[in-house]
């Protein structure tokens, strides 16, 4: 029992989602319509992405990026590479996976090069890069994946609306990095990663994972109705090349999504509750998505608020900005924090202080442009 309770304390987002789903089902008993209203496409796509990205990690597919980083010998250039490595990879492999790739590498390089004083500010900027880079693509973050599925617009249309904030954020990140090294833009660093080469026996798995990733992108962009077949194909391919991988997939995230879908559908089907929320949320989607995300994170907040949204742009811009306010605002931020305290036990408070100061400085600059752009009709 202690182990079970300890697990649920550790996975607070899962615990919260289970409680929310249970409460919603008490308020509104389950029906066939509720089950039908669950976004099974998003859940299936998320399952495929998590499986393939776990394969990417196991086979170290991003090794060329890691090797290139170790060859840079100036702090500003290495920091730019690491931060924008997160920024651009988050567009394709989701923001949390990009941090899983680059945060340990950053700690390794800066420790080896005796530059630990820069670790916290750089990790914070990587966190910002993950949140703001991933906003460009429909599959850059779980909330984008969900909202893109609901929007019914083309991938190019989606990217066009996200591009101004994404590009502005990129320029702002460059400014933050230059400010960090303002005293010496030529400061040097020498560090080695000691990364192992690719194993010849893993070649087939690497090819399979890359092919499956291309298939997933095709499924998302084309909105094909044959997505269940794609899910089956991905699972079958993994069973053939590395069935053990399926034991390491983050199923907690999928269950969390499912529970919040149940909560959202139940609340939306209750006339009294949905009426109150619609009046409160409509016209204030931008602030509601930012605010609610500080309580339950931006992914579940997006799922909960979507049925009551009239301004789609306000919801998505707010959800993609919420992670700059606090650790809870984005699951990616929590992952970043976990990796840091694992490397530096007892330093969690210091992480939160630096993270909050830098993230809020960034937030205060981008929050107004986001609000203004939220008036740009998405469709």
């Amino acid at each position: 029992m202690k182990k079970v309770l300890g697990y649920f304390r550790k996975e607070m987002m899962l615990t919260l989602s289970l409680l929310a789903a249970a409460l919603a089902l008490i308020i509104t008993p389950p029906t066939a319509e509720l089950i039908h209203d669950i976004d099974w496409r998003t859940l299936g796509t998320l399952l495929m992405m998590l499986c393939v990205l776990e394969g990417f990690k196991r086979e170290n597919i991003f090794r060329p990026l890691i090797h290139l980083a170790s060859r840079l010998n100036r702090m500003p250039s290495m920091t730019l590479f690491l931060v924008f490595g997160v920024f651009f990879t988050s567009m394709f492999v989701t923001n949390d996976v990009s941090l899983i790739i680059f945060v340990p590498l950053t700690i390794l390089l800066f420790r080896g090069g005796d530059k630990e004083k820069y670790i916290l500010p750089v990790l914070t900027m990587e966190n910002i890069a993950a949140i703001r880079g991933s906003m460009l693509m429909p599959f850059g973050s779980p909330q984008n994946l969900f909202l893109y599925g609901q929007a019914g617009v083309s991938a190019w249309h989606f990217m066009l609306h996200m591009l101004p904030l994404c590009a502005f954020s990129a320029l702002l990140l460059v400014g933050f990095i230059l400010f960090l090294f303002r005293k010496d833009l030529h400061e040097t660093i020498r560090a080695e990663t000691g990364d192992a080469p690719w194993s010849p026996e893993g070649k087939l798995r690497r090819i399979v994972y890359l092919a499956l990733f291309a298939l997933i992108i095709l499924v998302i962009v084309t909105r094909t109705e044959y997505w269940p077949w794609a899910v089956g194909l991905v699972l079958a391919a993994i069973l053939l090349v590395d069935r053990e991988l399926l034991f390491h997939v983050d199923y907690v995230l999928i269950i969390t999504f499912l529970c919040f879908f149940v909560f959202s559908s139940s609340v939306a089907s209750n006339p009294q509750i949905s009426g109150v929320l619609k009046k409160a949320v409509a016209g204030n989607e931008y602030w509601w998505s930012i605010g609610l995300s500080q309580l339950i994170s931006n992914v579940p907040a997006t799922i909960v608020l979507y049925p009551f949204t009239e301004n789609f742009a306000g919801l998505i811009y707010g959800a993609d900005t919420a992670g700059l306010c606090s650790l809870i605002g984005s699951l990616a931020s929590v992952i970043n924090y976990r990796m840091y305290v694992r490397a530096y036990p007892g330093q969690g408070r210091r992480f939160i202080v630096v993270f909050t100061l830098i993230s809020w400085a960034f937030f205060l600059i981008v929050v107004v442009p986001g609000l203004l752009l939220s008036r740009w009709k998405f469709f």
Side-chain angles (χ1 to χ4, degrees), residues 125-139:
M125 285 188 279
E126 287 178 359
N127 199 86
I128 295 170
I131 292 169
R132 304 304 280 180
S134 63
M135 72 187 303
L136 180 66
M137 295 291 189
F139 37 80

Side-chain angles (χ1 to χ4, degrees), residues 159-273:
M159 292 165 61
L160 174 66
H161 276 261
M162 307 308 288
L163 181 61
L165 279 181
C166 186
F168 178 62
S169 298
L171 292 173
L172 196 55
L173 276 168
V174 173
F176 271 52
I177 292 169
L178 293 178
F179 180 79
L180 177 64
F181 297 105
R182 63 193 181 281
K183 292 182 179 179
D184 185 5
L185 291 175
H186 300 285
E187 185 173 348
T188 59
I189 179 174
R190 292 194 177 276
E192 294 292 335
T193 61
D195 60 309
W198 280 330
S199 60
E201 60 270 21
K203 183 178 180 180
L204 175 62
R205 291 192 292 272
R206 290 191 291 273
I207 293 172
V208 169
Y209 294 141
L210 288 168
L212 292 177
F213 183 72
L215 171 66
I216 295 168
I217 300 303
L218 183 65
V219 168
I220 294 172
V221 172
T222 61
R223 300 178 185 277
T224 177
E225 293 299 317
Y226 297 105
W227 64 266
W229 292 94
V231 174
L233 178 60
V234 168
L235 295 177
I238 291 173
L239 279 171
L240 286 173
V241 300
D242 187 7
R243 64 181 62 189
E244 187 185 338
L245 177 150
L246 295 174
F247 293 102
H248 300 277
V249 175
D250 186 8
Y251 297 110
V252 169
L253 182 59
I254 297 173
I255 296 171
T256 302
F257 253 62
L258 175 61
C259 289
F260 278 115
F261 277 136
V262 171
F263 176 78
S264 178
S265 298
S266 297
V267 169
S269 62
N270 185 292
Q272 289 78 24
I273 299 175

Side-chain angles (χ1 to χ4, degrees), residues 26-177:
I26 292 171
I27 296 172
T28 308
T31 62
E33 185 179 357
L34 184 148
I35 296 173
H36 179 267
D37 287 342
I38 293 173
D39 191 346
W40 297 106
R41 177 195 286 268
T42 296
L43 291 173
T45 305
L46 185 60
L47 174 61
M48 290 191 292
M49 287 288 286
L50 291 173
C51 287
V52 171
L53 294 176
E54 181 63 31
F56 276 29
K57 287 190 289 180
R58 287 166 67 88
E59 295 302 324
N60 198 16
I61 285 177
F62 294 101
R63 179 177 173 271
L65 288 176
I66 296 170
H67 182 66
L68 178 59
S70 66
R71 298 176 63 127
L72 300 171
N73 56 17
R74 289 190 178 180
M75 283 299 295
S77 58
M78 179 177 283
T79 301
L80 282 166
F81 177 84
L82 292 169
V83 170
F84 281 91
V86 174
F87 188 85
F88 289 110
T89 59
S90 68
M91 297 178 184
F92 300 97
V93 300
T94 73
N95 47 25
D96 53 348
V97 173
S98 65
L99 288 172
I100 289 170
I101 296 166
F102 282 94
V103 167
L105 173 62
T106 302
I107 294 173
L108 178 66
L109 288 171
F110 285 16
R111 269 181 169 175
D114 195 25
K115 301 292 182 180
E116 287 185 281
K117 65 180 180 179
Y118 292 113
I119 287 179
L120 272 177
V122 172
L123 291 189
T124 301
M125 285 188 279
E126 287 178 359
N127 199 86
I128 295 170
I131 292 169
R132 304 304 280 180
S134 63
M135 72 187 303
L136 180 66
M137 295 291 189
F139 37 80
S141 63
Q143 72 269 15
N144 276 20
L145 183 61
F146 166 67
L147 290 174
Y148 174 72
Q150 304 298 320
V153 298
S154 69
W156 296 113
H157 183 91
F158 184 97
M159 292 165 61
L160 174 66
H161 276 261
M162 307 308 288
L163 181 61
L165 279 181
C166 186
F168 178 62
S169 298
L171 292 173
L172 196 55
L173 276 168
V174 173
F176 271 52
I177 292 169

